[in-house]
Amino acid sequence: MGKRRRAIKPGTRRAAAQAPSVRRGVLLLVAGMMTLLAVAGAGWWMMRSAENALPAAPARPPSIIGGVTGCRGIPRFVARLGYADRLGISTSERTHKGLVIFDGRVPVSADPAQRDIHQEPSWDDAGTLGPFVIDRDGHIYTAAVPRTAVSDNPPGSLNVVYRIDSETAVLQPFVTLPGAVGSSENPFGILGMAYDCDTHALYVSTVAGSTRQAEQGRIVRIDLASREISDEVIGVDAIGLAVFQGRAGKRLYIGLARSADVGSVALDAAGHATGEFRVDLALDERLAQFAEPRVRRISFDQTNMTLFVVPFAFNLRAVSEQQQVTLRYGYDAERDSWVPFPASIPASGRVNLRG
């Protein structure tokens, strides 16, 4: 299958990533994360009405600085279901297991009946879900993530990428990642996803095989046209993922699962990882009020980066949505680096995600 591998050398990371306090184990770390994902609305997306009225935008020239998801298409099935001009998507509803769509014009704090929540029969087949992305054809890709127990999801599902077909609205397995599966010490698999319009590729992070002592997670690149896993970045446990085209080239940005760092690795024209991992942002000083902060999602809006950060309680007890902090950074093209905005954005409800 022409599989490529590139190791991220542990020595390239800052010492904080190896500190004893963050070596307490992927199980507790990610378990706390997944509870927060469920409560804080990690999986939420909405197309504004003006965007819905237009066809999917073509991929922008790779030389233009900015995010790379502007081509995302509207799932074709939403018109049939009556959500074409009011689409919201969530994998974190307390009242529904799996994925749902709803009236995105209604505040998420409103009564569920007012939000007109809808779920197709297959959308809960994989149990509780976590990250999801949408490609240029309107297909939705997602993954199973347990919230309270492995029994939340079918056996063997945690390293499976699922796809909801844009035409049929049916959820089915799309690709199964190779390697380790969940265990009693670490029951988690896929935690992060990112889509690149330019190469029609999906980047997926998994922590399957990691233990409290060993970091065995990896990020894989999936060619969506062929379903081939054409690249692997080995040796990092990651949660948040996003791709950005900078002045010096395209990079895959990574929110680490074992520290409060955001790093990145360069991508070539075909979207394969190249070069060494670097740390772009160390967030400890900005998040001193949090114990064990982690970046659970990364989003790019033109030349701005938004980080969605949560603390960890190291248990499965649900926490309030207000414990999420959103940080914003502006891109300094001259230095190919990120500059923090003066203050963080106060925690609020869901945030519209745009290309």
Side-chain angles (χ1 to χ4, degrees):
M1 296 172 58
K3 190 177 296 183
R4 294 157 40 113
R5 295 173 182 264
R6 177 168 297 276
I8 289 179
K9 296 181 180 179
T12 62
R13 300 203 211 135
R14 49 194 295 272
Q18 305 297 334
S21 63
V22 294
R23 283 293 193 181
R24 298 179 187 176
V26 168
L27 172 59
L28 293 177
L29 183 154
V30 180
M33 168 65 77
M34 290 304 103
T35 301
L36 288 164
L37 291 179
V39 177
W44 186 87
W45 180 84
M46 173 180 161
M47 277 285 205
R48 292 184 176 180
S49 298
E51 294 173 322
N52 284 338
L54 299 174
R60 54 111 184 94
S63 60
I64 296 180
I65 291 175
V68 297
T69 59
C71 72
R72 289 176 302 182
I74 304 168
R76 298 183 181 94
F77 62 76
V78 302
R80 181 176 75 250
L81 297 175
Y83 291 81
D85 61 347
R86 57 192 183 101
L87 175 62
I89 302 175
S90 175
T91 58
S92 54
E93 296 296 315
R94 298 182 184 182
T95 56
H96 292 75
K97 181 183 292 186
L99 183 140
V100 302
I101 59 177
F102 58 91
D103 187 341
R105 303 170 301 183
V106 179
V108 295
S109 58
D111 183 271
Q114 295 179 333
R115 295 173 60 213
D116 191 19
I117 295 175
H118 174 81
Q119 185 174 66
E120 289 289 286
S122 66
W123 292 358
D124 62 357
D125 286 358
T128 54
L129 302 175
F132 70 88
V133 298
I134 304 174
D135 73 8
R136 64 192 182 194
D137 299 313
H139 302 303
I140 303 172
Y141 302 87
T142 187
V145 176
R147 294 181 182 172
T148 59
V150 177
S151 58
D152 287 342
N153 307 94
S157 65
L158 299 181
N159 250 4
V160 178
V161 175
Y162 291 88
R163 186 179 80 169
I164 297 178
D165 187 88
S166 181
E167 292 283 358
T168 67
V170 175
L171 180 145
Q172 293 180 323
F174 183 74
V175 169
T176 300
L177 305 186
V181 296
S183 66
S184 58
E185 186 172 0
N186 171 24
F188 299 101
I190 294 172
L191 295 181
M193 289 185 176
Y195 176 63
D196 183 357
C197 285
D198 300 334
T199 59
H200 193 45
L202 184 68
Y203 295 89
V204 179
S205 67
T206 175
V207 299
S210 290
T211 67
R212 298 180 184 183
Q213 293 76 34
E215 184 173 20
Q216 300 296 326
R218 60 201 183 280
I219 301 168
V220 304
R221 177 187 180 277
I222 302 171
D223 185 294
L224 294 180
S226 64
R227 304 195 186 196
E228 290 189 356
I229 299 173
S230 57
D231 201 17
E232 293 186 2
V233 180
I234 307 298
V236 61
D237 289 339
I239 303 175
L241 296 178
V243 180
F244 182 82
Q245 173 71 45
R247 179 187 61 81
K250 189 181 294 183
R251 301 190 71 88
L252 173 66
Y253 284 84
I254 302 163
L256 298 179
R258 293 184 182 245
S259 75
D261 295 342
V262 174
S264 66
V265 62
L267 302 176
D268 63 20
H272 300 293
T274 180
E276 297 296 333
F277 177 87
R278 77 183 188 194
V279 173
D280 294 85
L281 297 169
L283 305 180
D284 299 285
E285 293 183 359
R286 297 198 71 185
L287 299 166
Q289 75 273 30
F290 281 175
E292 313 288 7
R294 300 293 181 268
V295 175
R296 66 172 178 83
R297 193 171 81 236
I298 304 170
S299 177
F300 294 108
D301 181 4
Q302 297 177 344
T303 58
N304 297 324
M305 172 195 283
T306 304
L307 304 178
F308 301 86
V309 186
V310 291
F312 289 88
F314 290 98
N315 56 45
L316 293 175
R317 184 174 62 251
V319 297
S320 73
E321 192 169 342
Q322 282 65 40
Q323 289 186 273
Q324 172 178 291
V325 162
T326 305
L327 302 177
R328 296 199 72 191
Y329 293 78
Y331 182 62
D332 184 338
E334 182 177 351
R335 295 176 175 81
D336 190 31
S337 63
W338 296 92
V339 179
F341 284 17
S344 62
I345 302 171
S348 59
R350 311 301 203 274
V351 177
N352 291 346
L353 300 185
R354 304 185 64 189

